[in-house]
Amino acid sequence: MHRIAILAVILMSIFTLNAGSLRLPSIFSPHMVFQREAPISIWGWGLAGSSVRVRLGDQNSEATVDQNGEWRVALEAREAGDAVSLKVESGEERLEVKGIEFGDVWVASGQSNMEWKMMWEVEGWKEEAAAGDVPAIRFFQVERTYSWKREEDVTNLHGWRRASPDTVPEFSAVAWFFAKRNYLEKGVPVGIIECAWGGSPAEAWIPVETVASVPGYEREAERVMSGDRAGEAYVKEVESREAEKWRILTSEDEDAKRVAFEGLPEAGWRRVEFPTDEAFSDVVWLRREFDWDSDHDPARLIIDKPGKVTKAYLNGKYIGEKTWESDSLDLDIEEDILRDGTNVLCLRSYDDWDNVVQALTEGSMRIEVGDQWIGLRGEWQVSNSIEEKVPEVEKLFWTPGFLYNAMIEPLEQYRARGVIWYQGESNTGRAKEYDPLFKSLIRSWRKGRGDAEMPFLFCQLASFLERQENQQQSDWAELREAQAAALDLPQTGMAVLIDIGDALDIHPRNKKDVGERLWLAARRVSFDEEFPYSGPRYRSAILKESKVDVRFETYGSRFEGKIGDEILGFQLAGKDGHFKVAEAKILDGSSILVSAEGVDTPWMVRYAWADNPECDLRNEEGLPGIPFRAVVE
């Protein structure tokens, strides 16, 4: 079990809910939300053979604790209504959970774009938080925990938290905007079970036995099931190396600071011109001397791209830092830190993800004092020899099944209306395998919950990386295609994000459109409402002489624009497979005529097929068209 989980278990033992032999899962805590209009499962642990009495509002049931110390009761579905209490008794032991509501419950999972908190510079987050006094919206945040075996309970430090100006900044931004629409439009309490882990691949969220049946993943899964890459001993060995890694990265080594500030030669300094694309490793110190005729007024240090995790020191004094979720250093410098004459600025930078440190890569680098400033571009001294080398550590949360075991399986008895999912970045480069892998994830979650058609709503990857004029091959486009293939499964919906990405940031800060597009899918898939919930989706491509008539499913809407308007983002290729930028014009409300100079007999057509495509196909509701590639009929 991960070290965070161990700490959380210790902390949870303080709560009276887990006192004695009679226990409830951590999700059964004050202000919890049960799914309305669905059977209710209540379970827990106790003394084998003992009788357990359960009362939820006006419903009663009894169970006997089995030989494994487990018990479970099933209660009838309830409509949304007044809050009730849950009372559980066994012998002299009594537990009570107050403030329980019935509404819509969603599991919000995936990687960092789902994990991304409101306060991590999300667009408009302060205004959202200030207006966030909506106690009917509740979040249960599962702590990031992995395990080599199935766990009986998830790790949680706070229980269910009601939305308020104090709590909203800590919530998943995508899930918040989704939950807010659910609450405003349906008028019922909304419970979000948030369980996400930045950088996690899909296979970690799937039972390892299921991963073993996915082509391309057999060997990885077998190594886990055989114990070669799993088991308690192996996990402890990896965690020991991880602890050593974090000891180095989070060190406040005074000797290292002295070497950096004083520029001592044993650091093995070398001179590098910044900005640079050069990659470094381990703990990198960057040192720059500059002269300043200071008037001792307050000053600011501004560095746009200092490195993933960077601390800044000026003349031997700590002035601030940048953590992974922010973009830049923009720090106030207290009076009297800058001095007349020579000043020494030092940056300590590292990357805990893959130990590839990219610092001072572009943008502004300067110190401002009033209307004066000094630029910091140019030559710096650089050393990664001041501190110990950072050990290589396997990412256990990438291991097939490990996140499923600890964060998903323990909650499978807890009924949810559906899932919202934002993941895929860590599987780029394996799109062919992602298609069956992602479908296996959806099926396995449904099977685990005993709900074969549980709504599963997911995000397609946003645009990312530098835009290319006529990109021929794209891992990101292929992964988007694999994601869209999951729409072949029943009760699925997809939020297309091709228009709201950021070329320089894999974490676009516009999370409102993401959450609200997921909600549009939820209205159609889960609530069975008929309306244009998606942008245009490819249906067929028919050859007409040297042109291609591309026809779309528009879900009751029409293209944005009028007949004859040009649409950007299409490409055509002949049998040679070389794609050329195409001219595409609206034929009618659901067809586009595509042609390209030099492609007399089109063989394939594609749209928005690039890491970061320039494309503008939308419906009248402003929803973007779904990227695709297809063979011409």
Side-chain angles (χ1 to χ4, degrees):
M1 183 178 289
H2 195 270
R3 63 179 186 280
I4 295 176
I6 295 172
L7 173 62
V9 169
I10 294 172
L11 292 175
M12 283 300 297
S13 67
I14 298 173
F15 290 89
T16 57
L17 284 178
N18 288 335
S21 60
L22 182 64
R23 292 188 296 121
L24 287 168
S26 58
I27 199 166
F28 286 85
S29 59
H31 313 302
M32 64 187 294
V33 182
F34 278 121
Q35 177 59 45
R36 61 182 171 132
E37 303 167 8
I40 299 168
S41 178
I42 300 174
W43 73 97
W45 303 272
L47 184 64
S50 63
S51 177
V52 177
R53 297 172 299 283
V54 176
R55 181 179 180 86
L56 178 65
D58 57 0
Q59 295 189 65
N60 296 282
S61 187
E62 291 189 8
T64 300
V65 182
D66 66 20
Q67 61 183 4
N68 296 317
E70 301 171 354
W71 58 267
R72 178 182 178 274
V73 301
L75 300 176
E76 294 180 359
R78 298 176 65 112
E79 301 287 336
D82 295 336
V84 300
S85 293
L86 169 67
K87 297 180 180 180
V88 181
E89 299 180 357
S90 181
E92 299 299 317
E93 293 186 272
R94 291 173 174 76
L95 305 176
E96 183 174 8
V97 181
K98 297 181 179 180
I100 298 173
E101 298 275 8
F102 298 85
D104 291 330
V105 177
W106 298 90
V107 177
S109 190
Q111 55 185 106
S112 55
N113 272 304
M114 181 60 80
E115 183 181 28
W116 204 262
K117 298 179 185 295
M118 289 289 291
M119 64 182 181
W120 289 350
E121 302 177 9
V122 167
E123 292 178 7
W125 78 269
K126 291 183 178 179
E127 294 80 5
E128 281 292 321
D133 189 13
V134 190
I137 298 178
R138 290 121 189 253
F139 274 62
F140 181 87
Q141 294 166 304
V142 177
E143 295 298 316
R144 301 195 310 181
T145 315
Y146 56 74
S147 179
W148 61 275
K149 59 181 179 64
R150 303 288 176 90
E151 297 295 334
E152 66 177 14
D153 197 6
V154 298
T155 302
N156 170 266
L157 300 181
H158 306 288
W160 287 86
R161 294 199 287 179
R162 292 178 289 183
S164 72
D166 292 330
T167 60
V168 168
E170 292 283 344
F171 292 166
S172 156
V174 169
W176 164 255
F177 287 115
F178 177 89
K180 186 176 178 182
R181 294 315 313 171
N182 191 160
Y183 170 71
L184 291 174
E185 294 188 26
K186 300 303 177 183
V188 299
V190 179
I192 297 291
I193 302 172
E194 181 186 329
C195 47
W197 192 317
S200 58
E203 58 267 27
W205 296 98
I206 307 173
V208 65
E209 300 85 0
T210 302
V211 177
S213 67
V214 177
Y217 282 92
E218 302 96 335
R219 185 176 179 183
E220 293 170 54
E222 177 58 33
R223 294 172 73 180
V224 176
M225 292 189 293
S226 68
D228 181 35
R229 307 281 289 196
E232 187 174 8
Y234 181 77
V235 168
K236 286 184 176 180
E237 176 189 340
V238 175
E239 289 185 337
S240 177
R241 293 199 300 273
E242 183 182 31
E244 177 66 6
K245 166 187 167 180
W246 282 104
R247 181 191 65 78
I248 295 170
L249 294 181
T250 59
S251 170
E252 292 292 339
D253 192 321
E254 293 301 321
D255 286 339
K257 292 180 187 178
R258 182 176 63 86
V259 171
F261 298 140
E262 297 178 12
L264 299 179
E266 59 263 32
W269 298 102
R270 62 189 183 91
R271 299 183 182 279
V272 177
E273 286 284 328
F274 289 98
T276 182
D277 292 330
E278 181 179 350
F280 308 98
S281 66
D282 303 298
V283 178
V284 179
W285 283 86
L286 302 99
R287 187 178 189 277
R288 172 72 184 257
E289 294 185 1
F290 61 92
D291 291 330
W292 185 261
D293 182 12
S294 174
D295 54 10
H296 302 286
D297 287 338
R300 291 172 65 210
L301 170 67
I302 299 172
I303 300 179
D304 284 346
K305 298 291 183 180
K308 183 178 178 182
V309 181
T310 301
K311 287 187 176 183
Y313 303 86
L314 184 57
N315 295 326
K317 296 183 179 180
Y318 169 79
I319 58 173
E321 62 190 89
K322 169 201 173 297
T323 52
W324 73 275
E325 65 270 11
S326 59
D327 286 329
S328 62
L329 278 172
D330 189 343
L331 305 174
D332 292 326
I333 302 173
E334 295 180 3
E335 294 184 28
D336 299 326
I337 292 182
L338 272 174
R339 60 196 182 203
D340 295 334
T342 300
N343 293 261
V344 180
L345 173 65
C346 284
L347 305 178
R348 180 186 188 268
S349 189
Y350 65 84
D351 191 320
D352 61 304
W353 178 255
D354 57 9
N355 202 26
V356 177
V357 185
Q358 293 185 300
L360 307 186
T361 55
E362 60 181 332
S364 296
M365 307 173 199
R366 67 184 187 275
I367 291 178
E368 296 180 349
V369 178
D371 58 0
Q372 300 181 64
W373 63 277
I374 183 169
L376 299 173
R377 286 173 168 248
E379 187 178 89
W380 289 62
Q381 291 177 292
V382 178
S383 175
N384 64 349
S385 301
I386 295 177
E387 298 188 53
E388 301 169 73
K389 296 296 182 184
V390 178
E392 293 186 10
V393 180
E394 178 187 350
K395 297 178 178 68
L396 288 175
F397 68 94
W398 275 33
T399 308
F402 269 36
L403 299 188
Y404 176 85
N405 291 342
M407 300 177 69
I408 299 300
E409 198 274 342
L411 293 177
E412 284 183 335
Q413 295 185 62
Y414 198 85
R415 193 66 177 261
R417 186 165 202 112
V419 174
I420 56 175
W421 173 267
Y422 193 162
Q423 190 276 337
E425 295 91 340
S426 288
N427 288 90
T428 53
R430 301 187 71 174
K432 184 178 181 180
E433 298 156 317
Y434 192 82
D435 180 342
L437 183 75
F438 187 34
K439 290 174 182 175
S440 293
L441 183 148
I442 295 171
R443 293 189 183 103
S444 67
W445 285 28
R446 288 173 169 175
K447 180 180 179 181
R449 289 182 169 272
D451 186 352
E453 292 194 350
M454 178 181 66
F456 198 105
L457 318 171
F458 57 93
C459 297
Q460 193 179 52
L461 293 184
S463 51
F464 180 53
L465 301 173
E466 182 180 357
R467 178 167 290 171
Q468 302 179 42
E469 184 175 348
N470 185 23
Q471 188 172 351
Q472 293 297 307
Q473 190 278 332
S474 167
D475 287 344
W476 285 76
E478 291 182 7
L479 198 286
R480 294 187 192 109
E481 180 183 55
Q483 292 175 312
L487 292 173
D488 294 340
L489 297 179
Q491 294 296 93
T492 55
M494 182 173 73
V496 179
L497 310 179
I498 200 68
D499 58 332
I500 60 173
D502 187 325
L504 302 176
D505 194 342
I506 203 170
H507 304 115
R509 300 306 200 268
N510 175 3
K511 301 301 188 192
K512 181 177 181 180
D513 281 341
V514 180
E516 294 188 346
R517 289 178 188 178
L518 283 170
W519 173 245
L520 292 179
R523 288 175 56 195
R524 177 67 187 92
V525 174
S526 183
F527 295 94
D528 203 27
E529 299 178 26
E530 292 286 350
F531 70 102
Y533 69 97
S534 170
R537 185 183 184 191
Y538 168 81
R539 191 173 65 199
S540 65
I542 301 171
L543 184 63
K544 290 188 174 181
E545 296 180 350
S546 62
K547 299 181 180 181
V548 180
D549 180 359
V550 184
R551 300 175 183 180
F552 292 82
E553 171 59 59
T554 57
Y555 303 100
S557 183
R558 295 175 58 85
F559 294 149
E560 180 182 79
K562 60 184 183 296
I563 294 174
D565 282 356
E566 187 170 351
I567 301 296
L568 300 176
F570 281 87
Q571 296 172 302
L572 284 180
K575 282 291 187 179
D576 62 359
H578 183 78
F579 283 89
K580 293 188 177 182
V581 175
E583 180 182 82
K585 293 185 178 180
I586 296 176
L587 272 179
D588 54 40
S590 60
S591 297
I592 292 175
L593 193 63
V594 184
S595 62
E597 186 176 349
V599 184
D600 297 327
T601 307
W603 172 60
M604 287 197 72
V605 60
R606 63 190 193 184
Y607 169 73
W609 197 267
D611 302 334
N612 183 11
E614 184 178 12
C615 55
D616 59 1
L617 178 61
R618 297 181 179 85
N619 66 10
E620 289 182 321
E621 285 70 31
L623 296 174
I626 299 174
F628 74 92
R629 64 177 171 180
V631 175
V632 178
E633 300 175 13

